[in-house]
Amino acid sequence: MLPTLTDEQRLLKESLERFRQQDYAFEKRKGPLAKLGAKDDPVWAQFAELGWLAATLPEEHGGLGGSHADLALMMEQFGRGLVTSPFVPTVVVGATALRVAASEKQKSEILPGIAEGRTKLALAYLETPGQLDPAIVTTRARVETDGFVISGSKIAALYGNVADHVLVSARAFGQVGDHQGVSLFLVPANAKGLTLDAYRTHDDGWAADLHFDHVNLPAEALVGSAGSGLETIEAALDAGAAALCAEAVGAMWSLHDMTLDYIKVRKQFGATIGSFQAIQHRMVNIYMKCQLAQSMALAGMAALDSADTAARRRAVSAAKVQVGRAARHVGEDAIQLHGGIAMTDEYAAGHYFKRLTMIRLTFGDEEYHLRRYLGR
């Protein structure tokens, strides 16, 4: 994805390519998916062994101090390989929230565990289907003398069922929709009063609905200051959205290459369909959409380094809108050019299309991010 790679990035890319082409080839993918989220998940252990979990974490907390450019490179390769894992909820979203607002004690307790593959995180911020605004929080955090009591429910927490700790948004004061008053808490997955309902997602991943029945938390469970958690949540969600844009680019390029190969061998009316001008035009359109998405994803990822919060928000939302539109175009055209074979479970094209559809909806769809870009 990056125009010019450093020596370190070249080595990183080579290791990622070997993994997706050999260990995670499509015909072998069902094996790793069966162990997804298990304590002995071999793929997650391999991520840790290869240093991918530590790549972008700070050096003072067991990481390798990599950049957002390194993250973009990793996510594109994950997208090309259709790699399904808790990487984004843990290493991108969860770790970003901790880096932005957590205390040094919280960072030193959690981040090294992520780097070593011992700890997974999930962010629980959604409460109502179709409502994507993180300020819409009805879950309450009642202040007690020795900490807090959390009551309420969350939905669609990505990989919430395999997380060791869940980052939970809860309203400490104010009305639903107020930007002030939302706090962020680090809740152990085994906390008394926390229950969850886990389910598979359409792209072979996992999510969970969480229920908090008077969950008691110590004061040190608060991430950042009370009532100011929304900025932290938005920073984490922007990092996640930018990472998914980069992943979508990888998936789109794989669909492009797969479709190009297919039209060169599929025959109709005595000729390969790739020789028909109408098909060639559609392939050019797919190629141009991939190029546009790649440029926008890079811009969104670069914006994560900006100290200007408003600029970061606009750049990430612009990327999410354009990449989402491109993903729909590329996915639909790839399916149509393949024909019926693309919808079979044994062929990879349909799986890429499902993953692109999930990426479009995760952390806000095109409509949500267009309104956000326009400040509405």
Side-chain angles (χ1 to χ4, degrees):
M1 168 176 261
L2 303 178
T4 304
L5 299 180
T6 65
D7 290 340
E8 290 80 5
Q9 288 170 341
R10 194 173 297 108
L11 291 172
L12 176 61
K13 182 181 179 182
E14 289 173 357
S15 70
L16 288 157
E17 287 178 336
R18 281 195 301 271
F19 170 78
R20 67 176 178 82
Q21 292 170 357
Q22 298 174 14
D23 301 338
Y24 209 88
F26 181 73
E27 58 272 15
K28 298 180 180 179
R29 186 168 176 263
K30 286 187 177 180
L33 285 178
K35 289 233 172 185
L36 180 62
K39 290 297 182 184
D40 58 342
D41 182 352
V43 171
W44 196 251
Q46 194 171 358
F47 279 16
E49 183 181 345
L50 292 168
W52 298 344
L53 301 180
T56 58
L57 297 180
E59 294 182 40
E60 61 269 26
H61 296 297
L64 301 177
S67 65
H68 286 118
D70 299 325
L71 176 61
L73 188 153
M74 296 173 68
M75 292 307 303
E76 187 202 357
Q77 291 300 318
F78 289 157
R80 285 181 179 268
L82 206 60
V83 177
T84 305
S85 77
F87 185 89
V88 169
T90 297
V91 179
V92 182
V93 176
T96 295
L98 293 180
R99 291 170 67 176
V100 168
S103 65
E104 282 303 315
K105 181 182 178 182
Q106 289 170 330
K107 292 177 184 177
S108 62
E109 288 178 349
I110 303 298
L111 293 180
I114 294 175
E116 296 167 8
R118 295 182 288 103
T119 304
K120 298 186 185 77
L121 299 178
L123 175 65
Y125 75 102
L126 294 173
E127 295 191 354
T128 306
Q131 177 54 258
L132 301 172
D133 186 351
I136 306 299
V137 178
T138 61
T139 299
R140 287 286 173 175
R142 188 177 75 247
V143 179
E144 297 288 339
T145 54
D146 57 346
F148 304 89
V149 177
I150 307 296
S151 298
S153 296
K154 299 289 182 178
I155 64 170
L158 294 177
Y159 293 94
N161 58 315
V162 301
D164 299 287
H165 292 82
V166 183
L167 288 158
V168 180
S169 61
R171 185 164 291 283
F173 56 85
Q175 301 301 313
V176 175
D178 289 351
H179 280 238
Q180 293 298 317
V182 176
S183 297
L184 187 64
F185 297 91
L186 187 64
V187 182
N190 60 358
K192 185 179 180 180
L194 170 58
T195 58
L196 60 84
D197 300 313
Y199 45 87
R200 281 280 192 179
T201 55
H202 288 297
D203 58 345
D204 299 314
W206 284 94
D209 299 339
L210 284 71
H211 312 283
F212 301 86
D213 184 11
H214 299 88
V215 176
N216 288 280
L217 298 175
E220 54 266 26
L222 178 66
V223 178
S225 56
S228 62
L230 192 59
E231 289 185 5
T232 302
I233 295 168
E234 289 184 336
L237 292 175
D238 279 348
L244 290 185
C245 286
E247 182 186 346
V249 168
M252 280 187 272
W253 278 121
S254 283
L255 272 179
H256 167 275
D257 297 344
M258 192 182 308
T259 306
L260 184 61
D261 289 340
Y262 183 77
I263 65 173
K264 290 177 180 179
V265 297
R266 175 71 167 92
K267 288 188 176 182
Q268 191 74 34
F269 307 112
T272 58
I273 62 175
S275 65
F276 303 148
Q277 191 174 52
I279 300 296
Q280 293 172 6
H281 287 170
R282 293 184 74 172
M283 280 306 306
V284 169
N285 286 336
I286 289 176
Y287 177 82
M288 294 302 294
K289 292 294 184 182
C290 289
Q291 289 283 10
L292 171 64
Q294 187 164 356
S295 297
M296 291 302 298
L298 282 172
M301 191 66 75
L304 298 180
D305 293 319
S306 174
D308 186 336
T309 301
R312 183 202 72 214
R313 287 165 53 93
R314 285 173 60 85
V316 171
S317 285
K320 196 69 163 58
V321 170
Q322 293 293 350
V323 171
R325 290 173 174 173
R328 179 174 180 176
H329 177 102
V330 171
E332 290 179 349
D333 269 20
I335 295 295
Q336 290 176 2
L337 291 176
H338 274 89
I341 190 175
M343 299 308 296
T344 62
D345 196 53
E346 293 76 17
Y347 197 74
H351 294 268
Y352 280 102
F353 186 39
K354 286 192 290 185
R355 179 56 188 154
L356 286 173
T357 302
M358 288 295 293
I359 287 175
R360 288 178 55 216
L361 300 175
T362 304
F363 305 141
D365 58 10
E366 294 98 299
E367 182 181 352
Y368 169 79
H369 279 282
L370 184 58
R371 291 199 308 268
R372 187 173 182 252
Y373 179 85
L374 296 173
R376 296 178 182 175

